[in-house]
Amino acid sequence: WGSERSYHHTAPINMLYGLHEALRLVLEEGIDAREQRHRLHSSALVAGLEAMGITARVPEGERLPPLTAVSVPDGVEDAAVRTHLLKHHNLEIGGGLGPMKGNTWRIGLMGAGACRENVELCLRALSDAMTAQGSAPACDGVDAAKAVYTQ
């Protein structure tokens, strides 16, 4: 580039509009209310997952409410479950990265997606996907999540 700075790229204006809208929504809801909502739905999700025998990878005090990392249960094929979720429930969860590839699921509950409907959908869909693999959990976890909502 030398010593002169020159025009190099078109600004990502659509991303700036997206950021503006996202920040507007945060301010409209209120930061404290938004944080509380994410914590509530994260707690319900984890309660449901634990009822299904799926354990969180991160200790409770260190978790980030918008992203829940859990261990793939023994005998369950990571990729097959994620493929089933996408194909049959239009639901995508992330797989593990690096040394957690194949043994970790990353479940996001972010922004407008952090709601009771999505928590219950995720739990039912995971139960269905595991059952389709022959590794049915003891329950679908929804009752455990509902208990968090009624506390």
Side-chain angles (χ1 to χ4, degrees):
W1 287 17
S3 62
E4 263 186 62
R5 187 171 176 126
S6 61
Y7 176 82
H8 186 65
H9 293 291
T10 302
I13 195 68
N14 290 341
M15 288 177 35
L16 295 176
Y17 285 139
L19 176 61
H20 180 269
E21 179 63 9
L23 292 173
R24 186 192 68 75
L25 291 171
V26 168
L27 291 174
E28 182 178 291
E29 181 177 7
I31 291 174
D32 291 340
R34 191 172 190 90
E35 183 179 346
Q36 276 185 317
R37 178 171 56 84
H38 280 80
R39 286 191 188 286
L40 171 66
H41 297 302
S42 175
S43 294
L45 177 65
V46 170
L49 292 167
E50 288 177 347
M52 295 170 64
I54 301 172
T55 58
R57 282 256 185 216
V58 179
E60 186 174 356
E62 298 174 25
R63 293 181 194 148
L64 297 174
L67 184 63
T68 301
V70 297
S71 296
V72 175
D74 290 338
V76 174
E77 188 184 332
D78 162 47
V81 166
R82 291 187 297 112
T83 298
H84 184 96
L85 291 174
L86 194 54
K87 182 177 179 183
H88 298 282
H89 299 280
N90 199 30
L91 177 65
E92 186 171 13
I93 64 173
L97 305 171
M100 293 185 162
K101 183 177 182 176
N103 61 35
T104 300
W105 290 322
R106 296 173 299 121
I107 304 169
L109 286 173
M110 301 173 193
C115 65
R116 182 175 180 164
E117 178 183 357
N118 287 344
V119 167
E120 293 179 7
L121 167 67
C122 182
L123 294 171
R124 285 189 182 103
L126 270 172
S127 177
D128 176 57
M130 290 170 62
T131 300
Q133 241 189 62
S135 298
C139 66
D140 68 8
V142 173
D143 286 342
K146 285 181 179 179
V148 171
Y149 291 123
T150 58
Q151 288 179 0

